[in-house]
Amino acid sequence: MNDTVASAWKQGIDGSGVKVAVLDTQAVEDYPALKDADITYRLGRFSGMDGNEVECKVGGRPLTATIKAGDDGYYSSHGTDMLSWIVGDGGNYTLDKAGMLGAAPKARILHITTMGTSATAATTLCDAKKLGDASSDNGADVRTAVDWGARIINRSQSGGLDDTDYAGYVDALRHGIIMVGARANDTTPGLDDLTGDPRSMETFPGVVMVNSVDESGTLLPPRTSWTATWRCCRTGRTCSSPSITSPKAITAWATAARRPRPRYCRRTWRWPCRSGPTRRATRSSSL
């Protein structure tokens, strides 16, 4: 277990009383590490070019909020890993290796499914005959999290925002919600979280942007991170919890969640590896 997490737990900072919305891919609802977690699963909103709500289909089938272990050969997913990092209890499919142990096991979670699962790219978009046939309604999903009472919104996506998305993001900031977003890993410093760039969901002003780092805390480029994750999984090494570059990052993150207004700061996290019936590299994330 990460020493900082253990220290936070000793102070009673374990997610109690905190509501976290996770916007991510389909989760495996019966994943062992999540069996006792307080999670509500909900399918996100999808819209066409005209802004009207449409049904998202993946491979010709309607997208569902969750899947079961073994469906289409999946035993985990990017969304499952994110949930486990937050509220996982260390359970796994096999007894010889521990699964993920979450940093805030007593938090309440709303998981909003914005995409399907994928073995290679971490996300599968809706079927489309032409661009814009069906896409995740970013602003509407953020507004759903706000209406649910989320204190933190965690999103492992990047991409452009439409004019119709801004209202949801601004509403979240007005409610003092801590929004965390992952960018495509890069060695450049990136933008200041409070200045940002409103044209993209991970750089929207006020969103805390995260990136993978190496053992010394240096930002990792995409290829290095991806290769390291594959090597980690191939050798069977299990990384069950995030490693933080700043010594008190988790404590600060959890403490901020209890305050009336967020305290934004830049934090970076390492990538996980997962043990299970199948071992796949899973793109990391934001927590």
Side-chain angles (χ1 to χ4, degrees), residues 24-29 31 34 41 65-69 71 73-85 93 100 111 113 115-119 121-123 272 274 278 280-283:
D24 216 294
T25 67
Q26 283 173 310
V28 178
E29 62 180 77
Y31 185 67
L34 303 175
Y41 297 98
T66 63
I67 59 175
K68 294 280 190 180
D71 286 354
Y74 294 107
Y75 290 88
S76 188
S77 66
H78 190 276
T80 308
D81 287 345
M82 296 304 98
L83 293 174
S84 299
W85 269 19
Y93 292 106
M100 293 184 187
H111 182 274
T113 299
M115 284 171 285
T117 56
S118 171
T123 59
R274 173 183 51 78
T278 59
R280 294 195 181 104
T282 309
R283 287 201 69 169

Side-chain angles (χ1 to χ4, degrees), residues 118-133:
S118 171
T120 55
T123 59
T124 298
L125 303 178
C126 304
D127 298 339
K129 294 181 180 179
K130 59 182 179 180
L131 183 65
D133 275 356

Side-chain angles (χ1 to χ4, degrees), residues 32-41 83 87-89 105 107-109:
L34 303 175
K35 64 181 183 304
D36 295 321
D38 185 352
I39 305 174
T40 299
Y41 297 98
L83 293 174
V87 293
D89 66 0
R108 291 181 60 191
I109 305 292

Side-chain angles (χ1 to χ4, degrees), residues 21-26 40-45 65 109-115 140-146 148 157:
V22 178
L23 282 60
D24 216 294
T25 67
Q26 283 173 310
T40 299
Y41 297 98
R42 186 178 301 177
L43 187 63
R45 186 182 189 275
I109 305 292
L110 172 65
H111 182 274
I112 301 175
T113 299
T114 59
M115 284 171 285
D141 290 340
V142 170
R143 182 64 65 81
T144 296
V146 172
W148 179 70
Q157 281 177 262

